[in-house]
Amino acid sequence: MFSFKKNYNLFGKITLSIIKPDAVEKGYSISILSKIIDAGFHIIALKMMELSKKSAFIFYEEHKEKYFFDSLIEFMSSGPIISSILKKENAVKDFRILIGDTNPINAKKGTIRNLYATSLEKNAIHGSDSNKNAFKECQFFFPIEKFYYK
Ligand code: ATP
Ligand code: MG
């Protein structure tokens, strides 16, 4: 298992990204990954996969009381996604800036959601919202003991 203690030196320097099913389906994955790399993030883990409904439920459990939850679970398990761990100083904060507002209507010009999102739900990409959640989410997708990165 990925260990928080063994990877304490990465705390504050990693975030979890998910290119969501809408963006993968439309063929935006490589353009989005290029944008992420150009912004100075190092991809230290990467995989393409499909989420089961159960996994999507667990991942977004904090929203389980919200009116959009069932639809969100349906959407996130509707097709392939690309999840990755990104490393950079201030990774969480800087990545949230790069992806833009949750609602693409409010996302600043040039942000990933501004460029590639379709709607408030189908908003192309996920980014962790705190350093603590980043570690939890990285562990969820990549349950490995150690990230090999110089
Ligand atoms: P994410 O966690 O995916 O990075 P976020 O942190 O910007 O997004 P959250 O509030 O955590 O936003 O919402 C999780 C996801 O649920 C959103 O990215 C979006 O796909 C969906 N969502 C949020 N609010 C709504 C809403 N009002 N209607 C429909 N879908 C929504
Ligand atoms: Mg969120």
Side-chain angles (χ1 to χ4, degrees):
M1 283 290 284
F2 171 78
S3 156
F4 174 83
K5 279 184 185 151
K6 286 176 188 163
N7 291 281
Y8 68 93
N9 57 322
L10 290 176
F11 190 82
K13 298 177 188 166
I14 56 170
T15 193
L16 184 89
S17 160
I18 304 173
I19 303 177
K20 297 185 180 181
D22 58 323
V24 173
E25 210 249 320
K26 287 180 174 165
Y28 296 148
S29 304
I30 299 300
S31 304
I32 291 174
L33 288 171
S34 294
K35 232 176 143 36
I36 291 171
I37 292 163
D38 289 348
F41 292 87
H42 296 273
I43 299 170
I44 63 170
L46 178 84
K47 68 178 167 188
M48 190 171 199
M49 61 182 290
E50 285 185 52
L51 281 179
S52 64
K53 281 195 183 152
K54 193 176 169 193
S55 293
F57 186 105
I58 294 166
F59 186 77
Y60 276 123
E61 196 158 15
E62 64 172 300
H63 296 303
K64 73 175 176 216
E65 306 301 337
K66 309 255 175 77
Y67 72 91
F68 58 82
F69 186 69
D70 288 351
S71 178
L72 178 62
I73 296 318
E74 208 44 64
F75 164 54
M76 288 302 293
S77 57
S78 67
I81 58 165
I82 294 176
S83 59
S84 58
I85 299 176
L86 308 176
K87 182 174 179 286
K88 185 182 185 295
E89 291 297 327
N90 301 312
V92 167
K93 200 164 154 257
D94 286 358
F95 193 61
R96 297 283 293 193
I97 293 168
L98 181 68
I99 69 179
D101 196 277
T102 308
N103 190 340
I105 289 170
N106 303 323
K108 283 199 183 126
K109 202 160 181 260
T111 58
I112 291 173
R113 282 168 169 165
N114 165 253
L115 291 168
Y116 302 110
T118 310
S119 67
L120 173 53
E121 179 183 73
K122 295 178 175 54
N123 60 1
I125 194 153
H126 161 82
S128 310
D129 62 6
S130 69
N131 289 327
K132 198 171 159 219
N133 281 340
F135 256 84
K136 206 172 121 199
E137 293 174 1
C138 289
Q139 184 176 34
F140 181 79
F141 275 96
F142 300 93
I144 52 177
E145 198 168 328
K146 191 118 181 138
F147 300 132
Y148 293 96
Y149 183 82
K150 274 197 262 182

